[in-house]
Amino acid sequence: MKWQDYKLFFSFLRPHLWKEAMLFLIMIAGTVAGLASPYALKLIIDDYIPAGNVRGIIGLLAGLTVVYGMRLLLGYWSDYLGTWIANRVVHSMKLRLFSNLLQQPYAYFEANNPGDIIQKVNHEVHKIQSFLVGSFLRITNNVLLLVGLSFMLCLLHPGLFLLSLTVFPFSIFFNRYWNKEVKKVVEASSVKEGEVYNYFIDSIRQFKLIKLHQANSFEEKRLNNHLDNLFNLYQRATVLSSLSRNLAMFFVAAGPLLILGVGGYFTIQGALTTGSLVAFIQYMNRLYAPANDLVYFHVDFVKAKVSMQRIMPLLQYTPTPTPTGTLQVPIESLVLKNIAFSHGGTTIIPHLDITFEKGRSYAIAGWNGSGKSTLVKLLCQLYPPQSGELLINGQHNLLHFAPGEWFERIAVVHQEPLLFNDSIRFNILYGLHDVSEADMRQALQDTGMYAFVMEQPAGWDTKIGEGEGQVMLSGGQQQQLALTRALLKKSEVLILDEATSAVDASREANILSCLRKMQHDKIIITISHRLSAVMAMDEVLLLKNGQIAAQGSHEYLLSTNTDYMALFGSQIITHTNEKARLL
């Protein structure tokens, strides 16, 4: 990591400078208070006991009692302020990460697994939080304590103090030698943690498949393999960290033994008082814990540094500048002119020209892999085209306007309903403003969900999901709710991507009937494999290999295009037989 990377992390501390200054002063006061008792012991041994000064001993002990009381209060406020600052820093960091995450292009979410993203935004940040709350505060306090102890040791006997420092180069050498390996293992552990997150997410999503195939044992073995690999990485990191710490601390622990031998000799020779030697060893023993923490700190810092490096690209992310133009004209037509798009080196749409007009409905049909989903993403501006133009009314290039201008004008319903585990009200009003209950009621009636919602004890406020106290919706009901939200938006362009694929035939017919009634003031584009949805549209565009293979009404294509007949052949026969039966 470079200095500017660390500056980015320090920027999260800047808003809390006055609290940090207060914390620093409290730590200094606590350190000074903690240095009193060994020196008091020296005074008792060297001065008060030989002089028989009982009153002086009592007074000194009373003073130490007051100092200990102060240390108790200072320790409390130090812990409180330190934890408050660390938690606020992590709070701000998570907000920045999530904000930057939401500004990522759609391709980012296709290229990164959900588990990896969650691991970075949550788990890696928690590691940094643990470092800030535990290691960083502790090391700050210990650095102050080391400075204070060094001052007192130097005051008692400069020569012995310099001798005590000779053990530290060995400690530093072993610490740095092993921590290079620790860093590699910690990086591998972070990647593996992301894989485990992905496994859990995938397994929960595919729970029905696991259940129906009785694959419990198989999945347990898969998880066991993941966890074994992670366990081995954790153990290797522990072994390396332990070697680093314990070899380093062997030399730190040798310090008091060296001082006891040399200091004892000085005392016998009369160059050092007994009280000074006792105080010196007391201070040296206190030096052991913060010196030990310094060694531990480097290991903790290596782990936190790996976490920082993993979240750094997301934390530093700067969105690509987007146009700021405003779209002030009503949409009369949407023209795709010379559109081409490739992904991962594969050409998906080589050349595409389409015109969608207000007041008309369009069905986009085609085989799997023909480019339908890509076309939807291009229309939604989730993908930018490599070439060509998306024109409003044939003259305003959509790419010259702020994306929000287009998002305000369109409503999209996907095959997989995008719903939160929250109330029905929250879901159908998500992203909308100033929607009356009358509008909500009408939209729910149009999608056939009103009666169901009113049957629920909490009505609009019924929570949906699979948890306790929630109502589990069928796939069709989820699509109906998503469609309700789209209708409430009252958009100028409505895009339905297999939006009724899970809805039963009678409800789908009612929904399509409602859409036909409201299409006079909007463009409706539907992508569907269902003949019923395609037949309800004014015009059908048959997509093949990313290009328009045929275009016209359902009846026209049925009589003139063999590809169209092949695509819907079995459904057409079923539909024809059903009509004959009813007649």
Side-chain angles (χ1 to χ4, degrees), residues 320-327 381 397-406:
T320 304
T322 55
T324 57
T326 57
L327 184 60
Q381 283 200 294
N397 191 335
L398 192 59
L399 301 179
H400 294 167
F401 298 101
E405 292 290 307
W406 178 238

mmCIF file of all heavy atoms in Angstrom, residues 320-327 381 397-406:
data_model
loop_
_atom_site.group_PDB
_atom_site.id
_atom_site.type_symbol
_atom_site.label_atom_id
_atom_site.label_comp_id
_atom_site.label_asym_id
_atom_site.label_seq_id
_atom_site.Cartn_x
_atom_site.Cartn_y
_atom_site.Cartn_z
ATOM 1 N N THR A 320 -17.365 6.916 -13.274
ATOM 2 C CA THR A 320 -17.077 7.564 -14.556
ATOM 3 C C THR A 320 -18.022 8.739 -14.726
ATOM 4 O O THR A 320 -19.230 8.608 -14.503
ATOM 5 C CB THR A 320 -17.278 6.566 -15.711
ATOM 6 O OG1 THR A 320 -16.453 5.424 -15.473
ATOM 7 C CG2 THR A 320 -16.923 7.191 -17.039
ATOM 8 N N PRO A 321 -17.498 9.917 -15.074
ATOM 9 C CA PRO A 321 -18.384 11.078 -15.244
ATOM 10 C C PRO A 321 -19.504 10.774 -16.236
ATOM 11 O O PRO A 321 -19.272 10.183 -17.295
ATOM 12 C CB PRO A 321 -17.442 12.163 -15.789
ATOM 13 C CG PRO A 321 -16.080 11.756 -15.324
ATOM 14 C CD PRO A 321 -16.087 10.249 -15.325
ATOM 15 N N THR A 322 -20.700 11.132 -15.879
ATOM 16 C CA THR A 322 -21.856 10.891 -16.741
ATOM 17 C C THR A 322 -22.414 12.227 -17.215
ATOM 18 O O THR A 322 -22.218 13.263 -16.571
ATOM 19 C CB THR A 322 -22.957 10.125 -15.984
ATOM 20 O OG1 THR A 322 -23.299 10.851 -14.782
ATOM 21 C CG2 THR A 322 -22.470 8.736 -15.601
ATOM 22 N N PRO A 323 -23.102 12.221 -18.358
ATOM 23 C CA PRO A 323 -23.706 13.467 -18.850
ATOM 24 C C PRO A 323 -24.683 14.035 -17.824
ATOM 25 O O PRO A 323 -25.239 13.305 -17.002
ATOM 26 C CB PRO A 323 -24.427 13.022 -20.121
ATOM 27 C CG PRO A 323 -23.771 11.744 -20.526
ATOM 28 C CD PRO A 323 -23.340 11.089 -19.253
ATOM 29 N N THR A 324 -24.880 15.315 -17.872
ATOM 30 C CA THR A 324 -25.768 15.988 -16.911
ATOM 31 C C THR A 324 -26.985 16.608 -17.588
ATOM 32 O O THR A 324 -27.744 17.328 -16.945
ATOM 33 C CB THR A 324 -24.996 17.074 -16.147
ATOM 34 O OG1 THR A 324 -24.429 17.997 -17.084
ATOM 35 C CG2 THR A 324 -23.875 16.457 -15.319
ATOM 36 N N GLY A 325 -27.152 16.340 -18.883
ATOM 37 C CA GLY A 325 -28.274 16.941 -19.601
ATOM 38 C C GLY A 325 -29.615 16.462 -19.088
ATOM 39 O O GLY A 325 -29.734 15.362 -18.548
ATOM 40 N N THR A 326 -30.622 17.308 -19.239
ATOM 41 C CA THR A 326 -31.977 16.953 -18.795
ATOM 42 C C THR A 326 -32.866 16.702 -20.005
ATOM 43 O O THR A 326 -32.788 17.423 -21.007
ATOM 44 C CB THR A 326 -32.584 18.071 -17.923
ATOM 45 O OG1 THR A 326 -32.582 19.302 -18.662
ATOM 46 C CG2 THR A 326 -31.778 18.249 -16.647
ATOM 47 N N LEU A 327 -33.699 15.693 -19.894
ATOM 48 C CA LEU A 327 -34.616 15.334 -20.975
ATOM 49 C C LEU A 327 -35.965 15.989 -20.684
ATOM 50 O O LEU A 327 -36.670 15.588 -19.758
ATOM 51 C CB LEU A 327 -34.756 13.804 -21.029
ATOM 52 C CG LEU A 327 -35.604 13.228 -22.154
ATOM 53 C CD1 LEU A 327 -35.047 13.613 -23.518
ATOM 54 C CD2 LEU A 327 -35.671 11.710 -22.018
ATOM 55 N N GLN A 381 -30.157 0.931 -20.142
ATOM 56 C CA GLN A 381 -28.856 1.587 -19.929
ATOM 57 C C GLN A 381 -28.026 0.892 -18.853
ATOM 58 O O GLN A 381 -27.220 1.531 -18.167
ATOM 59 C CB GLN A 381 -29.026 3.075 -19.587
ATOM 60 C CG GLN A 381 -29.356 3.948 -20.791
ATOM 61 C CD GLN A 381 -29.050 5.409 -20.544
ATOM 62 O OE1 GLN A 381 -29.675 6.054 -19.704
ATOM 63 N NE2 GLN A 381 -28.098 5.937 -21.276
ATOM 64 N N ASN A 397 -30.103 12.070 -28.432
ATOM 65 C CA ASN A 397 -29.308 10.883 -28.087
ATOM 66 C C ASN A 397 -29.386 10.639 -26.588
ATOM 67 O O ASN A 397 -28.972 11.478 -25.780
ATOM 68 C CB ASN A 397 -27.847 11.081 -28.513
ATOM 69 C CG ASN A 397 -27.056 9.789 -28.433
ATOM 70 O OD1 ASN A 397 -27.385 8.880 -27.667
ATOM 71 N ND2 ASN A 397 -26.013 9.675 -29.235
ATOM 72 N N LEU A 398 -29.900 9.477 -26.239
ATOM 73 C CA LEU A 398 -30.105 9.129 -24.826
ATOM 74 C C LEU A 398 -28.802 9.161 -24.034
ATOM 75 O O LEU A 398 -28.791 9.466 -22.838
ATOM 76 C CB LEU A 398 -30.749 7.740 -24.742
ATOM 77 C CG LEU A 398 -31.306 7.301 -23.388
ATOM 78 C CD1 LEU A 398 -32.366 8.274 -22.904
ATOM 79 C CD2 LEU A 398 -31.879 5.898 -23.495
ATOM 80 N N LEU A 399 -27.685 8.863 -24.681
ATOM 81 C CA LEU A 399 -26.401 8.817 -24.004
ATOM 82 C C LEU A 399 -25.879 10.202 -23.640
ATOM 83 O O LEU A 399 -24.874 10.316 -22.941
ATOM 84 C CB LEU A 399 -25.369 8.081 -24.874
ATOM 85 C CG LEU A 399 -25.717 6.636 -25.250
ATOM 86 C CD1 LEU A 399 -24.641 6.034 -26.127
ATOM 87 C CD2 LEU A 399 -25.908 5.791 -23.992
ATOM 88 N N HIS A 400 -26.554 11.249 -24.110
ATOM 89 C CA HIS A 400 -26.134 12.618 -23.787
ATOM 90 C C HIS A 400 -26.847 13.161 -22.553
ATOM 91 O O HIS A 400 -26.585 14.290 -22.133
ATOM 92 C CB HIS A 400 -26.399 13.551 -24.977
ATOM 93 C CG HIS A 400 -25.550 13.222 -26.164
ATOM 94 N ND1 HIS A 400 -25.789 13.753 -27.430
ATOM 95 C CD2 HIS A 400 -24.460 12.410 -26.306
ATOM 96 C CE1 HIS A 400 -24.883 13.279 -28.278
ATOM 97 N NE2 HIS A 400 -24.078 12.473 -27.614
ATOM 98 N N PHE A 401 -27.756 12.367 -21.990
ATOM 99 C CA PHE A 401 -28.521 12.812 -20.822
ATOM 100 C C PHE A 401 -28.079 12.053 -19.575
ATOM 101 O O PHE A 401 -27.521 10.951 -19.659
ATOM 102 C CB PHE A 401 -30.020 12.591 -21.050
ATOM 103 C CG PHE A 401 -30.570 13.372 -22.211
ATOM 104 C CD1 PHE A 401 -30.783 12.754 -23.438
ATOM 105 C CD2 PHE A 401 -30.856 14.723 -22.083
ATOM 106 C CE1 PHE A 401 -31.274 13.465 -24.516
ATOM 107 C CE2 PHE A 401 -31.358 15.440 -23.160
ATOM 108 C CZ PHE A 401 -31.562 14.821 -24.384
ATOM 109 N N ALA A 402 -28.333 12.650 -18.423
ATOM 110 C CA ALA A 402 -28.033 11.984 -17.150
ATOM 111 C C ALA A 402 -28.829 10.681 -17.082
ATOM 112 O O ALA A 402 -30.017 10.663 -17.442
ATOM 113 C CB ALA A 402 -28.383 12.891 -15.980
ATOM 114 N N PRO A 403 -28.212 9.593 -16.633
ATOM 115 C CA PRO A 403 -28.931 8.312 -16.571
ATOM 116 C C PRO A 403 -30.242 8.408 -15.793
ATOM 117 O O PRO A 403 -31.228 7.755 -16.150
ATOM 118 C CB PRO A 403 -27.932 7.386 -15.859
ATOM 119 C CG PRO A 403 -26.591 7.959 -16.164
ATOM 120 C CD PRO A 403 -26.807 9.454 -16.203
ATOM 121 N N GLY A 404 -30.244 9.232 -14.748
ATOM 122 C CA GLY A 404 -31.457 9.380 -13.950
ATOM 123 C C GLY A 404 -32.632 9.910 -14.746
ATOM 124 O O GLY A 404 -33.793 9.612 -14.432
ATOM 125 N N GLU A 405 -32.336 10.702 -15.783
ATOM 126 C CA GLU A 405 -33.407 11.234 -16.631
ATOM 127 C C GLU A 405 -34.156 10.102 -17.331
ATOM 128 O O GLU A 405 -35.370 10.145 -17.471
ATOM 129 C CB GLU A 405 -32.812 12.185 -17.675
ATOM 130 C CG GLU A 405 -32.256 13.472 -17.113
ATOM 131 C CD GLU A 405 -33.363 14.376 -16.602
ATOM 132 O OE1 GLU A 405 -34.305 14.660 -17.364
ATOM 133 O OE2 GLU A 405 -33.278 14.795 -15.433
ATOM 134 N N TRP A 406 -33.407 9.081 -17.763
ATOM 135 C CA TRP A 406 -34.022 7.939 -18.443
ATOM 136 C C TRP A 406 -34.687 7.010 -17.441
ATOM 137 O O TRP A 406 -35.786 6.503 -17.678
ATOM 138 C CB TRP A 406 -32.961 7.207 -19.251
ATOM 139 C CG TRP A 406 -33.439 5.978 -19.974
ATOM 140 C CD1 TRP A 406 -32.971 4.713 -19.840
ATOM 141 C CD2 TRP A 406 -34.467 5.903 -20.969
ATOM 142 N NE1 TRP A 406 -33.629 3.845 -20.665
ATOM 143 C CE2 TRP A 406 -34.561 4.550 -21.380
ATOM 144 C CE3 TRP A 406 -35.324 6.849 -21.540
ATOM 145 C CZ2 TRP A 406 -35.466 4.127 -22.336
ATOM 146 C CZ3 TRP A 406 -36.230 6.413 -22.499
ATOM 147 C CH2 TRP A 406 -36.305 5.070 -22.883
#
